[in-house]
Coordinates of all heavy atoms in Angstrom, one line a residue:
Chain A
L101 N 139.4 130.6 154.7 CA 139.9 129.3 155.2 C 139.8 129.1 156.7 O 139.3 128.1 157.2 CB 141.4 129.1 154.8 CG 142.1 127.9 155.4 CD1 141.7 126.6 154.7 CD2 143.7 128.1 155.3
A102 N 140.1 130.2 157.4 CA 140.0 130.1 158.9 C 138.6 130.0 159.3 O 138.3 129.1 160.2 CB 140.7 131.4 159.5
V103 N 137.8 130.8 158.8 CA 136.3 130.8 159.2 C 135.7 129.5 158.8 O 135.0 128.9 159.6 CB 135.6 132.0 158.5 CG1 134.1 131.8 158.7 CG2 136.1 133.3 159.0
Q104 N 136.0 129.0 157.7 CA 135.5 127.7 157.2 C 136.0 126.6 158.1 O 135.2 125.7 158.5 CB 135.9 127.5 155.8 CG 135.5 126.2 155.2 CD 134.0 126.1 154.9 OE1 133.3 127.1 155.2 NE2 133.5 125.0 154.5
S105 N 137.2 126.6 158.5 CA 137.8 125.6 159.3 C 137.0 125.6 160.7 O 136.7 124.5 161.2 CB 139.3 125.8 159.6 OG 140.0 125.7 158.3
R106 N 136.9 126.8 161.2 CA 136.2 126.9 162.5 C 134.8 126.3 162.4 O 134.3 125.6 163.2 CB 136.2 128.3 163.0 CG 135.4 128.5 164.2 CD 135.7 129.8 164.9 NE 134.9 130.1 166.0 CZ 133.8 130.9 166.0 NH1 133.5 131.5 164.9 NH2 133.1 131.1 167.1
R107 N 134.1 126.7 161.3 CA 132.7 126.2 161.1 C 132.6 124.7 161.1 O 131.8 124.1 161.7 CB 132.1 126.9 159.9 CG 130.6 127.0 159.9 CD 130.0 127.2 158.6 NE 130.8 128.0 157.7 CZ 130.6 129.3 157.5 NH1 129.7 130.0 158.1 NH2 131.4 130.0 156.6
T108 N 133.6 124.2 160.3 CA 133.6 122.7 160.2 C 133.9 122.0 161.5 O 133.2 121.0 161.9 CB 134.7 122.3 159.2 OG1 134.4 123.0 157.9 CG2 134.6 120.8 158.9
M109 N 134.8 122.6 162.3 CA 135.1 122.0 163.6 C 133.9 122.1 164.5 O 133.7 121.3 165.4 CB 136.3 122.7 164.2 CG 137.6 122.2 163.5 SD 139.0 123.1 164.2 CE 140.3 122.0 163.8
H110 N 133.1 123.2 164.4 CA 131.9 123.3 165.2 C 130.9 122.2 164.8 O 130.2 121.7 165.7 CB 131.3 124.7 165.1 CG 132.0 125.7 166.0 ND1 131.3 126.2 167.1 CD2 133.2 126.2 166.0 CE1 132.1 127.1 167.7 NE2 133.3 127.1 167.0
R111 N 130.9 121.9 163.6 CA 129.9 120.9 163.1 C 130.4 119.5 163.6 O 129.6 118.6 163.8 CB 129.8 120.9 161.6 CG 128.4 120.8 161.1 CD 128.3 120.6 159.6 NE 129.2 121.4 158.8 CZ 128.9 122.6 158.3 NH1 127.7 123.2 158.6 NH2 129.8 123.3 157.6
H112 N 131.7 119.3 163.7 CA 132.3 118.0 164.1 C 133.1 118.3 165.4 O 134.4 118.4 165.3 CB 133.1 117.4 163.0 CG 132.4 117.2 161.7 ND1 131.4 116.3 161.5 CD2 132.5 117.9 160.6 CE1 130.9 116.4 160.3 NE2 131.6 117.4 159.7
P113 N 132.5 118.4 166.5 CA 133.2 118.9 167.7 C 134.4 118.0 168.1 O 135.3 118.5 168.8 CB 132.1 118.9 168.8 CG 130.8 118.8 168.1 CD 131.1 118.1 166.8
W114 N 134.4 116.8 167.7 CA 135.5 115.9 168.1 C 136.8 116.2 167.3 O 137.9 115.9 167.7 CB 135.1 114.4 167.8 CG 134.5 114.3 166.4 CD1 133.2 114.4 166.1 CD2 135.3 114.0 165.2 NE1 133.1 114.2 164.7 CE2 134.3 114.0 164.2 CE3 136.6 113.9 164.9 CZ2 134.7 113.8 162.9 CZ3 137.0 113.6 163.6 CH2 136.0 113.6 162.6
M115 N 136.6 117.0 166.2 CA 137.6 117.2 165.3 C 138.8 118.0 165.9 O 140.0 117.6 165.7 CB 137.1 118.1 164.1 CG 138.0 118.2 162.9 SD 138.0 116.8 161.9 CE 139.2 117.3 160.7
A116 N 138.5 119.0 166.7 CA 139.5 119.8 167.3 C 140.5 119.0 168.1 O 141.7 119.2 168.0 CB 138.9 121.0 168.1
R117 N 139.9 118.1 168.9 CA 140.8 117.3 169.7 C 141.7 116.4 168.9 O 142.8 116.1 169.4 CB 139.9 116.4 170.6 CG 140.2 116.4 172.1 CD 139.2 115.6 172.8 NE 139.5 114.2 172.8 CZ 138.8 113.2 173.3 NH1 137.6 113.5 173.9 NH2 139.1 112.0 173.3
V118 N 141.3 116.0 167.8 CA 142.1 115.2 167.0 C 143.1 115.9 166.2 O 144.3 115.6 166.2 CB 141.2 114.3 166.0 CG1 142.1 113.5 165.1 CG2 140.3 113.4 166.8
T119 N 142.7 116.9 165.4 CA 143.6 117.7 164.6 C 144.7 118.4 165.4 O 145.8 118.7 164.9 CB 142.9 118.7 163.7 OG1 142.0 119.4 164.6 CG2 142.2 118.1 162.6
A120 N 144.3 118.7 166.7 CA 145.3 119.4 167.5 C 146.6 118.5 167.7 O 147.7 118.9 167.7 CB 144.7 119.7 168.8
T121 N 146.3 117.2 167.8 CA 147.3 116.2 168.1 C 147.9 115.5 166.9 O 149.1 115.1 167.0 CB 146.8 115.2 169.1 OG1 146.2 115.9 170.2 CG2 147.9 114.3 169.6
R122 N 147.2 115.4 165.9 CA 147.6 114.5 164.8 C 147.4 115.3 163.5 O 146.3 115.7 163.2 CB 146.7 113.3 164.9 CG 146.7 112.4 163.7 CD 145.5 111.5 163.7 NE 145.1 111.0 165.0 CZ 144.9 109.7 165.3 NH1 145.0 108.8 164.3 NH2 144.5 109.3 166.5
Q123 N 148.4 115.4 162.7 CA 148.3 116.1 161.4 C 147.6 115.1 160.4 O 147.9 114.0 160.4 CB 149.6 116.7 160.9 CG 150.6 115.6 160.5 CD 151.4 115.2 161.7 OE1 150.9 115.0 162.8 NE2 152.7 115.0 161.4
S124 N 146.8 115.7 159.6 CA 146.1 114.9 158.6 C 146.9 114.7 157.4 O 147.1 115.6 156.6 CB 144.8 115.6 158.3 OG 144.2 115.1 157.1
A125 N 147.4 113.5 157.2 CA 148.3 113.2 156.1 C 147.6 112.4 155.0 O 148.2 111.9 154.1 CB 149.5 112.4 156.6
G126 N 146.2 112.3 155.1 CA 145.5 111.6 154.1 C 145.4 112.5 152.8 O 145.8 113.7 152.9
P127 N 144.9 111.9 151.7 CA 144.9 112.7 150.5 C 144.2 114.0 150.6 O 144.7 115.0 150.1 CB 144.2 111.7 149.5 CG 143.7 110.6 150.3 CD 144.4 110.6 151.6
N128 N 143.0 114.0 151.2 CA 142.3 115.3 151.3 C 143.0 116.3 152.2 O 143.0 117.5 151.9 CB 140.9 115.0 151.9 CG 140.0 114.4 150.9 OD1 140.1 114.6 149.7 ND2 139.1 113.5 151.4
G129 N 143.7 115.8 153.3 CA 144.4 116.7 154.1 C 145.6 117.4 153.4 O 145.8 118.6 153.5
V130 N 146.3 116.5 152.6 CA 147.4 117.1 151.8 C 146.9 118.0 150.8 O 147.5 119.1 150.6 CB 148.2 115.9 151.2 CG1 149.3 116.5 150.3 CG2 148.8 115.0 152.2
R131 N 145.8 117.7 150.2 CA 145.3 118.6 149.1 C 144.9 119.9 149.8 O 145.1 121.0 149.2 CB 144.1 117.9 148.4 CG 143.3 118.9 147.6 CD 142.4 118.2 146.6 NE 143.1 117.6 145.5 CZ 143.1 116.3 145.2 NH1 142.3 115.5 145.9 NH2 143.7 115.9 144.1
A132 N 144.3 119.9 151.0 CA 143.9 121.1 151.7 C 145.2 121.9 151.9 O 145.1 123.2 151.7 CB 143.2 120.8 153.0
L133 N 146.2 121.3 152.4 CA 147.4 122.0 152.7 C 148.0 122.7 151.4 O 148.4 123.8 151.4 CB 148.5 121.1 153.2 CG 149.9 121.7 153.4 CD1 149.9 122.8 154.4 CD2 150.9 120.6 153.8
D134 N 147.9 121.9 150.3 CA 148.5 122.4 149.0 C 147.7 123.6 148.6 O 148.3 124.6 148.2 CB 148.4 121.3 148.0 CG 149.3 121.6 146.8 OD1 150.5 121.4 147.0 OD2 148.8 122.0 145.7
R135 N 146.4 123.6 148.7 CA 145.6 124.7 148.2 C 145.8 125.9 149.1 O 145.7 127.0 148.7 CB 144.1 124.3 148.2 CG 143.9 123.3 147.1 CD 142.4 123.1 146.8 NE 142.2 122.1 145.8 CZ 141.0 121.6 145.5 NH1 139.9 122.1 146.1 NH2 140.9 120.7 144.5
S136 N 146.0 125.6 150.4 CA 146.2 126.7 151.4 C 147.5 127.4 151.0 O 147.6 128.7 151.1 CB 146.3 126.2 152.8 OG 145.1 125.5 153.1
L137 N 148.5 126.6 150.7 CA 149.8 127.2 150.3 C 149.7 128.0 149.0 O 150.3 129.1 148.9 CB 150.9 126.1 150.1 CG 151.4 125.5 151.4 CD1 152.2 124.3 151.1 CD2 152.1 126.4 152.3
A138 N 148.8 127.6 148.1 CA 148.6 128.3 146.9 C 148.1 129.7 147.1 O 148.3 130.6 146.3 CB 147.6 127.5 146.0
M139 N 147.3 129.9 148.2 CA 146.8 131.2 148.5 C 147.8 132.2 148.7 O 147.6 133.4 148.4 CB 146.0 131.1 149.8 CG 144.7 130.3 149.7 SD 143.9 130.1 151.3 CE 142.5 129.1 150.9
V140 N 149.0 131.8 149.2 CA 150.0 132.8 149.5 C 151.2 132.6 148.6 O 152.3 133.2 148.8 CB 150.5 132.7 151.0 CG1 149.4 133.1 151.9 CG2 150.9 131.3 151.3
D141 N 150.9 131.9 147.5 CA 152.0 131.8 146.5 C 152.0 133.1 145.6 O 151.0 133.7 145.4 CB 151.7 130.6 145.6 CG 152.9 130.2 144.8 OD1 154.1 130.6 145.1 OD2 152.8 129.5 143.8
G142 N 153.3 133.4 145.2 CA 153.4 134.6 144.3 C 153.4 135.9 145.1 O 153.1 136.9 144.5
L143 N 153.6 135.8 146.3 CA 153.6 137.1 147.1 C 155.1 137.4 147.5 O 155.3 138.3 148.3 CB 152.9 136.9 148.4 CG 151.4 137.4 148.5 CD1 150.6 136.9 147.3 CD2 150.7 137.0 149.8
G144 N 156.0 136.7 146.8 CA 157.4 137.0 147.1 C 157.9 136.3 148.3 O 159.0 136.7 148.8
L145 N 157.2 135.3 148.8 CA 157.6 134.6 150.0 C 158.4 133.3 149.6 O 158.0 132.7 148.6 CB 156.4 134.3 150.9 CG 155.7 135.4 151.5 CD1 154.4 134.9 152.2 CD2 156.5 136.2 152.5
S146 N 159.3 132.9 150.4 CA 159.9 131.6 150.2 C 158.9 130.5 150.6 O 157.9 130.8 151.3 CB 161.2 131.5 151.1 OG 160.8 131.4 152.4
V147 N 159.2 129.3 150.1 CA 158.3 128.2 150.5 C 158.2 128.1 152.0 O 157.1 127.9 152.6 CB 158.8 126.9 149.9 CG1 157.8 125.8 150.2 CG2 159.0 127.0 148.4
D148 N 159.3 128.3 152.6 CA 159.3 128.2 154.1 C 158.5 129.3 154.7 O 157.7 129.0 155.6 CB 160.8 128.4 154.5 CG 161.0 127.9 155.9 OD1 160.2 127.0 156.3 OD2 161.9 128.4 156.6
A149 N 158.6 130.5 154.3 CA 157.8 131.6 154.8 C 156.3 131.3 154.6 O 155.4 131.6 155.4 CB 158.2 132.9 154.2
M150 N 156.0 130.8 153.4 CA 154.6 130.4 153.1 C 154.1 129.4 154.1 O 153.0 129.6 154.6 CB 154.5 129.9 151.7 CG 154.7 130.9 150.6 SD 155.0 130.2 148.9 CE 153.7 129.0 148.8
L151 N 154.9 128.4 154.4 CA 154.5 127.4 155.4 C 154.3 128.1 156.7 O 153.3 127.8 157.4 CB 155.6 126.4 155.5 CG 155.3 125.0 155.0 CD1 156.4 124.1 155.2 CD2 154.0 124.4 155.6
A152 N 155.1 129.0 157.1 CA 155.0 129.7 158.4 C 153.7 130.5 158.4 O 153.0 130.5 159.5 CB 156.2 130.6 158.6
V153 N 153.4 131.2 157.3 CA 152.2 132.0 157.3 C 151.0 131.1 157.5 O 150.1 131.3 158.4 CB 152.1 132.8 156.0 CG1 150.7 133.4 155.8 CG2 153.1 133.9 156.0
V154 N 150.8 130.2 156.6 CA 149.7 129.3 156.6 C 149.6 128.5 158.0 O 148.6 128.4 158.6 CB 149.7 128.3 155.5 CG1 148.6 127.2 155.6 CG2 149.5 129.0 154.1
G155 N 150.8 128.1 158.4 CA 150.8 127.3 159.7 C 150.4 128.2 160.9 O 149.7 127.7 161.7

Side-chain angles (χ1 to χ4, degrees):
Chain A
L101 172 72
V103 170
Q104 176 73 2
S105 299
R106 174 160 175 264
R107 207 196 325 263
T108 305
M109 284 176 159
H110 275 252
R111 224 191 316 271
H112 307 286
W114 49 270
M115 190 80 182
R117 229 177 80 186
V118 175
T119 46
T121 307
R122 170 198 317 230
Q123 69 273 40
S124 161
N128 286 329
V130 174
R131 170 165 283 123
L133 172 64
D134 198 75
R135 293 194 183 169
S136 305
L137 288 172
M139 293 174 178
V140 292
D141 194 19
L143 261 51
L145 297 172
S146 68
V147 185
D148 197 29
M150 286 164 54
L151 251 181
V153 165
V154 171

